[in-house]
Amino acid sequence: MKTKNLVFKGMKIISWIIFVGLCVEAGALVVNFIFSLFKPEAVQNLYQKLDMSDVYQSSKLIFLGMYGFILTIAILKAVMFYIVIVLATKIDLSKPFNHFVSKKIYKICYYTFSIGLLSFIAQRATKQLEHDGFTMDRLNQFWPDSEAFILMAAVIYIIAIIFEKGVEYQDELEETV
């Protein structure tokens, strides 16, 4: 039991580290976006040097759409890990099958699927824009793992269904006793 608690505490710490990293990334991308709009010459000195000024000059709508994908995916990842942290801190390992845990697992599943779906759409849009002559190769770093997120969402969904059934069985057992 001590080993399980140690592993669980390690997972909490890792979740916090990932969450902080994702928050920093999302914040840096928001700052990048604001600088891209108001002071584009400073973008070379910012996070990941995400200079899309050529796209901005060609089409503001495409610029806003692609940056929208980047920001939405980054923020969704941070929110998803926040839910993981809430789940990890409030779960009662002696009685894990409860409505709170079930709802949080479903939320994690929906966020994971949303990230995967948006990444997939953004990936396809990027390829189409490259085909149309836009330089988009620097954006591919933001959505290389769309298929992994979609597959992970499927696995988490199965786990959520199992937890939901566990909650139902536990409720029935408590009513019987």
Side-chain angles (χ1 to χ4, degrees), residues 37-58:
L37 292 175
F38 298 110
K39 198 167 187 182
E41 63 273 2
V43 172
Q44 280 89 18
N45 303 324
L46 296 177
Y47 179 73
Q48 293 188 1
K49 300 176 182 171
L50 187 59
D51 184 15
M52 292 178 50
S53 55
D54 53 338
V55 176
Y56 183 77
Q57 298 300 326
S58 299

PDB file of all heavy atoms in Angstrom, residues 37-58:
ATOM      1  N   LEU A  37       0.023  41.127 -33.094  1.00  0.00           N
ATOM      2  CA  LEU A  37      -0.962  42.089 -33.578  1.00  0.00           C
ATOM      3  C   LEU A  37      -0.474  43.531 -33.474  1.00  0.00           C
ATOM      4  O   LEU A  37      -0.702  44.335 -34.382  1.00  0.00           O
ATOM      5  CB  LEU A  37      -2.271  41.946 -32.786  1.00  0.00           C
ATOM      6  CG  LEU A  37      -3.046  40.661 -32.993  1.00  0.00           C
ATOM      7  CD1 LEU A  37      -4.248  40.622 -32.061  1.00  0.00           C
ATOM      8  CD2 LEU A  37      -3.490  40.519 -34.430  1.00  0.00           C
ATOM      9  N   PHE A  38       0.200  43.879 -32.368  1.00  0.00           N
ATOM     10  CA  PHE A  38       0.519  45.275 -32.105  1.00  0.00           C
ATOM     11  C   PHE A  38       1.983  45.651 -32.332  1.00  0.00           C
ATOM     12  O   PHE A  38       2.274  46.809 -32.592  1.00  0.00           O
ATOM     13  CB  PHE A  38       0.116  45.645 -30.676  1.00  0.00           C
ATOM     14  CG  PHE A  38      -1.362  45.495 -30.445  1.00  0.00           C
ATOM     15  CD1 PHE A  38      -1.855  44.494 -29.633  1.00  0.00           C
ATOM     16  CD2 PHE A  38      -2.269  46.340 -31.070  1.00  0.00           C
ATOM     17  CE1 PHE A  38      -3.211  44.343 -29.422  1.00  0.00           C
ATOM     18  CE2 PHE A  38      -3.634  46.198 -30.872  1.00  0.00           C
ATOM     19  CZ  PHE A  38      -4.107  45.192 -30.050  1.00  0.00           C
ATOM     20  N   LYS A  39       2.891  44.709 -32.191  1.00  0.00           N
ATOM     21  CA  LYS A  39       4.309  45.017 -32.391  1.00  0.00           C
ATOM     22  C   LYS A  39       4.994  43.794 -33.013  1.00  0.00           C
ATOM     23  O   LYS A  39       5.784  43.112 -32.366  1.00  0.00           O
ATOM     24  CB  LYS A  39       4.953  45.377 -31.058  1.00  0.00           C
ATOM     25  CG  LYS A  39       6.257  46.101 -31.216  1.00  0.00           C
ATOM     26  CD  LYS A  39       6.703  46.704 -29.913  1.00  0.00           C
ATOM     27  CE  LYS A  39       7.924  47.548 -30.202  1.00  0.00           C
ATOM     28  NZ  LYS A  39       8.459  48.138 -29.007  1.00  0.00           N
ATOM     29  N   PRO A  40       4.699  43.511 -34.294  1.00  0.00           N
ATOM     30  CA  PRO A  40       5.194  42.284 -34.913  1.00  0.00           C
ATOM     31  C   PRO A  40       6.713  42.186 -35.025  1.00  0.00           C
ATOM     32  O   PRO A  40       7.253  41.078 -35.088  1.00  0.00           O
ATOM     33  CB  PRO A  40       4.550  42.293 -36.298  1.00  0.00           C
ATOM     34  CG  PRO A  40       3.933  43.615 -36.487  1.00  0.00           C
ATOM     35  CD  PRO A  40       3.863  44.291 -35.179  1.00  0.00           C
ATOM     36  N   GLU A  41       7.414  43.289 -35.001  1.00  0.00           N
ATOM     37  CA  GLU A  41       8.877  43.223 -35.114  1.00  0.00           C
ATOM     38  C   GLU A  41       9.524  42.631 -33.866  1.00  0.00           C
ATOM     39  O   GLU A  41      10.673  42.170 -33.918  1.00  0.00           O
ATOM     40  CB  GLU A  41       9.468  44.610 -35.410  1.00  0.00           C
ATOM     41  CG  GLU A  41       9.243  45.648 -34.342  1.00  0.00           C
ATOM     42  CD  GLU A  41       7.919  46.400 -34.472  1.00  0.00           C
ATOM     43  OE1 GLU A  41       7.131  46.099 -35.376  1.00  0.00           O
ATOM     44  OE2 GLU A  41       7.689  47.284 -33.648  1.00  0.00           O
ATOM     45  N   ALA A  42       8.828  42.578 -32.749  1.00  0.00           N
ATOM     46  CA  ALA A  42       9.379  42.033 -31.505  1.00  0.00           C
ATOM     47  C   ALA A  42       9.171  40.527 -31.367  1.00  0.00           C
ATOM     48  O   ALA A  42       9.709  39.915 -30.459  1.00  0.00           O
ATOM     49  CB  ALA A  42       8.751  42.743 -30.310  1.00  0.00           C
ATOM     50  N   VAL A  43       8.429  39.925 -32.275  1.00  0.00           N
ATOM     51  CA  VAL A  43       8.098  38.505 -32.155  1.00  0.00           C
ATOM     52  C   VAL A  43       9.345  37.619 -32.227  1.00  0.00           C
ATOM     53  O   VAL A  43       9.403  36.567 -31.591  1.00  0.00           O
ATOM     54  CB  VAL A  43       7.050  38.099 -33.226  1.00  0.00           C
ATOM     55  CG1 VAL A  43       6.843  36.602 -33.262  1.00  0.00           C
ATOM     56  CG2 VAL A  43       5.743  38.803 -32.965  1.00  0.00           C
ATOM     57  N   GLN A  44      10.363  38.030 -32.949  1.00  0.00           N
ATOM     58  CA  GLN A  44      11.583  37.218 -33.053  1.00  0.00           C
ATOM     59  C   GLN A  44      12.244  37.012 -31.704  1.00  0.00           C
ATOM     60  O   GLN A  44      13.009  36.074 -31.528  1.00  0.00           O
ATOM     61  CB  GLN A  44      12.594  37.868 -34.005  1.00  0.00           C
ATOM     62  CG  GLN A  44      12.318  37.634 -35.458  1.00  0.00           C
ATOM     63  CD  GLN A  44      11.398  38.687 -36.054  1.00  0.00           C
ATOM     64  OE1 GLN A  44      11.232  39.756 -35.489  1.00  0.00           O
ATOM     65  NE2 GLN A  44      10.791  38.387 -37.180  1.00  0.00           N
ATOM     66  N   ASN A  45      11.985  37.877 -30.739  1.00  0.00           N
ATOM     67  CA  ASN A  45      12.594  37.776 -29.416  1.00  0.00           C
ATOM     68  C   ASN A  45      11.718  37.051 -28.400  1.00  0.00           C
ATOM     69  O   ASN A  45      12.104  36.899 -27.253  1.00  0.00           O
ATOM     70  CB  ASN A  45      12.903  39.179 -28.877  1.00  0.00           C
ATOM     71  CG  ASN A  45      13.798  39.950 -29.813  1.00  0.00           C
ATOM     72  OD1 ASN A  45      14.686  39.383 -30.444  1.00  0.00           O
ATOM     73  ND2 ASN A  45      13.561  41.229 -29.928  1.00  0.00           N
ATOM     74  N   LEU A  46      10.551  36.614 -28.810  1.00  0.00           N
ATOM     75  CA  LEU A  46       9.600  36.006 -27.890  1.00  0.00           C
ATOM     76  C   LEU A  46       9.636  34.486 -27.958  1.00  0.00           C
ATOM     77  O   LEU A  46      10.421  33.889 -28.698  1.00  0.00           O
ATOM     78  CB  LEU A  46       8.182  36.505 -28.202  1.00  0.00           C
ATOM     79  CG  LEU A  46       7.944  37.998 -27.990  1.00  0.00           C
ATOM     80  CD1 LEU A  46       6.532  38.363 -28.406  1.00  0.00           C
ATOM     81  CD2 LEU A  46       8.170  38.380 -26.543  1.00  0.00           C
ATOM     82  N   TYR A  47       8.731  33.881 -27.215  1.00  0.00           N
ATOM     83  CA  TYR A  47       8.622  32.428 -27.074  1.00  0.00           C
ATOM     84  C   TYR A  47       8.449  31.748 -28.425  1.00  0.00           C
ATOM     85  O   TYR A  47       7.560  32.086 -29.194  1.00  0.00           O
ATOM     86  CB  TYR A  47       7.437  32.123 -26.160  1.00  0.00           C
ATOM     87  CG  TYR A  47       7.179  30.653 -25.950  1.00  0.00           C
ATOM     88  CD1 TYR A  47       8.017  29.901 -25.154  1.00  0.00           C
ATOM     89  CD2 TYR A  47       6.098  30.041 -26.543  1.00  0.00           C
ATOM     90  CE1 TYR A  47       7.785  28.568 -24.942  1.00  0.00           C
ATOM     91  CE2 TYR A  47       5.844  28.697 -26.338  1.00  0.00           C
ATOM     92  CZ  TYR A  47       6.685  27.966 -25.534  1.00  0.00           C
ATOM     93  OH  TYR A  47       6.451  26.638 -25.324  1.00  0.00           O
ATOM     94  N   GLN A  48       9.283  30.800 -28.705  1.00  0.00           N
ATOM     95  CA  GLN A  48       9.275  29.973 -29.914  1.00  0.00           C
ATOM     96  C   GLN A  48       9.364  30.781 -31.203  1.00  0.00           C
ATOM     97  O   GLN A  48       9.154  30.249 -32.280  1.00  0.00           O
ATOM     98  CB  GLN A  48       8.048  29.061 -29.940  1.00  0.00           C
ATOM     99  CG  GLN A  48       8.086  28.015 -28.874  1.00  0.00           C
ATOM    100  CD  GLN A  48       6.976  26.993 -29.029  1.00  0.00           C
ATOM    101  OE1 GLN A  48       6.172  27.033 -29.950  1.00  0.00           O
ATOM    102  NE2 GLN A  48       6.935  26.047 -28.111  1.00  0.00           N
ATOM    103  N   LYS A  49       9.593  32.057 -31.090  1.00  0.00           N
ATOM    104  CA  LYS A  49       9.771  32.920 -32.262  1.00  0.00           C
ATOM    105  C   LYS A  49       8.703  32.646 -33.318  1.00  0.00           C
ATOM    106  O   LYS A  49       8.989  32.528 -34.502  1.00  0.00           O
ATOM    107  CB  LYS A  49      11.170  32.747 -32.834  1.00  0.00           C
ATOM    108  CG  LYS A  49      12.244  33.091 -31.848  1.00  0.00           C
ATOM    109  CD  LYS A  49      13.611  32.844 -32.376  1.00  0.00           C
ATOM    110  CE  LYS A  49      14.582  33.194 -31.272  1.00  0.00           C
ATOM    111  NZ  LYS A  49      15.906  32.857 -31.502  1.00  0.00           N
ATOM    112  N   LEU A  50       7.477  32.546 -32.874  1.00  0.00           N
ATOM    113  CA  LEU A  50       6.368  32.217 -33.754  1.00  0.00           C
ATOM    114  C   LEU A  50       5.962  33.450 -34.551  1.00  0.00           C
ATOM    115  O   LEU A  50       4.990  34.132 -34.246  1.00  0.00           O
ATOM    116  CB  LEU A  50       5.192  31.670 -32.947  1.00  0.00           C
ATOM    117  CG  LEU A  50       4.025  31.121 -33.748  1.00  0.00           C
ATOM    118  CD1 LEU A  50       4.475  29.977 -34.650  1.00  0.00           C
ATOM    119  CD2 LEU A  50       2.949  30.620 -32.805  1.00  0.00           C
ATOM    120  N   ASP A  51       6.745  33.731 -35.575  1.00  0.00           N
ATOM    121  CA  ASP A  51       6.502  34.895 -36.420  1.00  0.00           C
ATOM    122  C   ASP A  51       5.623  34.483 -37.596  1.00  0.00           C
ATOM    123  O   ASP A  51       6.040  33.728 -38.470  1.00  0.00           O
ATOM    124  CB  ASP A  51       7.832  35.461 -36.908  1.00  0.00           C
ATOM    125  CG  ASP A  51       7.653  36.726 -37.718  1.00  0.00           C
ATOM    126  OD1 ASP A  51       6.555  37.319 -37.662  1.00  0.00           O
ATOM    127  OD2 ASP A  51       8.611  37.124 -38.403  1.00  0.00           O
ATOM    128  N   MET A  52       4.405  34.969 -37.588  1.00  0.00           N
ATOM    129  CA  MET A  52       3.479  34.685 -38.688  1.00  0.00           C
ATOM    130  C   MET A  52       3.082  35.982 -39.395  1.00  0.00           C
ATOM    131  O   MET A  52       1.986  36.117 -39.909  1.00  0.00           O
ATOM    132  CB  MET A  52       2.231  33.970 -38.149  1.00  0.00           C
ATOM    133  CG  MET A  52       2.508  32.582 -37.636  1.00  0.00           C
ATOM    134  SD  MET A  52       1.054  31.757 -36.956  1.00  0.00           S
ATOM    135  CE  MET A  52      -0.170  31.967 -38.201  1.00  0.00           C
ATOM    136  N   SER A  53       4.009  36.935 -39.408  1.00  0.00           N
ATOM    137  CA  SER A  53       3.703  38.239 -39.994  1.00  0.00           C
ATOM    138  C   SER A  53       3.418  38.135 -41.492  1.00  0.00           C
ATOM    139  O   SER A  53       2.591  38.887 -42.010  1.00  0.00           O
ATOM    140  CB  SER A  53       4.827  39.232 -39.731  1.00  0.00           C
ATOM    141  OG  SER A  53       6.060  38.725 -40.189  1.00  0.00           O
ATOM    142  N   ASP A  54       4.076  37.187 -42.168  1.00  0.00           N
ATOM    143  CA  ASP A  54       3.792  37.016 -43.594  1.00  0.00           C
ATOM    144  C   ASP A  54       2.359  36.535 -43.820  1.00  0.00           C
ATOM    145  O   ASP A  54       1.682  36.974 -44.753  1.00  0.00           O
ATOM    146  CB  ASP A  54       4.800  36.063 -44.245  1.00  0.00           C
ATOM    147  CG  ASP A  54       4.912  34.731 -43.529  1.00  0.00           C
ATOM    148  OD1 ASP A  54       4.560  34.652 -42.336  1.00  0.00           O
ATOM    149  OD2 ASP A  54       5.359  33.750 -44.172  1.00  0.00           O
ATOM    150  N   VAL A  55       1.879  35.656 -42.960  1.00  0.00           N
ATOM    151  CA  VAL A  55       0.497  35.187 -43.052  1.00  0.00           C
ATOM    152  C   VAL A  55      -0.456  36.332 -42.702  1.00  0.00           C
ATOM    153  O   VAL A  55      -1.484  36.524 -43.357  1.00  0.00           O
ATOM    154  CB  VAL A  55       0.251  33.975 -42.118  1.00  0.00           C
ATOM    155  CG1 VAL A  55      -1.199  33.551 -42.136  1.00  0.00           C
ATOM    156  CG2 VAL A  55       1.152  32.818 -42.502  1.00  0.00           C
ATOM    157  N   TYR A  56      -0.084  37.133 -41.692  1.00  0.00           N
ATOM    158  CA  TYR A  56      -0.912  38.267 -41.293  1.00  0.00           C
ATOM    159  C   TYR A  56      -1.059  39.264 -42.437  1.00  0.00           C
ATOM    160  O   TYR A  56      -2.139  39.810 -42.655  1.00  0.00           O
ATOM    161  CB  TYR A  56      -0.308  38.941 -40.059  1.00  0.00           C
ATOM    162  CG  TYR A  56      -1.129  40.077 -39.511  1.00  0.00           C
ATOM    163  CD1 TYR A  56      -2.271  39.824 -38.763  1.00  0.00           C
ATOM    164  CD2 TYR A  56      -0.762  41.399 -39.738  1.00  0.00           C
ATOM    165  CE1 TYR A  56      -3.040  40.856 -38.250  1.00  0.00           C
ATOM    166  CE2 TYR A  56      -1.521  42.442 -39.227  1.00  0.00           C
ATOM    167  CZ  TYR A  56      -2.653  42.164 -38.500  1.00  0.00           C
ATOM    168  OH  TYR A  56      -3.409  43.195 -37.998  1.00  0.00           O
ATOM    169  N   GLN A  57       0.050  39.492 -43.158  1.00  0.00           N
ATOM    170  CA  GLN A  57       0.012  40.423 -44.283  1.00  0.00           C
ATOM    171  C   GLN A  57      -0.850  39.878 -45.423  1.00  0.00           C
ATOM    172  O   GLN A  57      -1.543  40.645 -46.095  1.00  0.00           O
ATOM    173  CB  GLN A  57       1.440  40.698 -44.799  1.00  0.00           C
ATOM    174  CG  GLN A  57       2.347  41.355 -43.794  1.00  0.00           C
ATOM    175  CD  GLN A  57       1.845  42.691 -43.318  1.00  0.00           C
ATOM    176  OE1 GLN A  57       1.233  43.437 -44.062  1.00  0.00           O
ATOM    177  NE2 GLN A  57       2.073  42.998 -42.054  1.00  0.00           N
ATOM    178  N   SER A  58      -0.813  38.578 -45.622  1.00  0.00           N
ATOM    179  CA  SER A  58      -1.584  37.963 -46.713  1.00  0.00           C
ATOM    180  C   SER A  58      -3.065  37.868 -46.378  1.00  0.00           C
ATOM    181  O   SER A  58      -3.915  38.177 -47.214  1.00  0.00           O
ATOM    182  CB  SER A  58      -1.057  36.559 -47.016  1.00  0.00           C
ATOM    183  OG  SER A  58       0.274  36.609 -47.419  1.00  0.00           O
TER     184      SER A  58
END
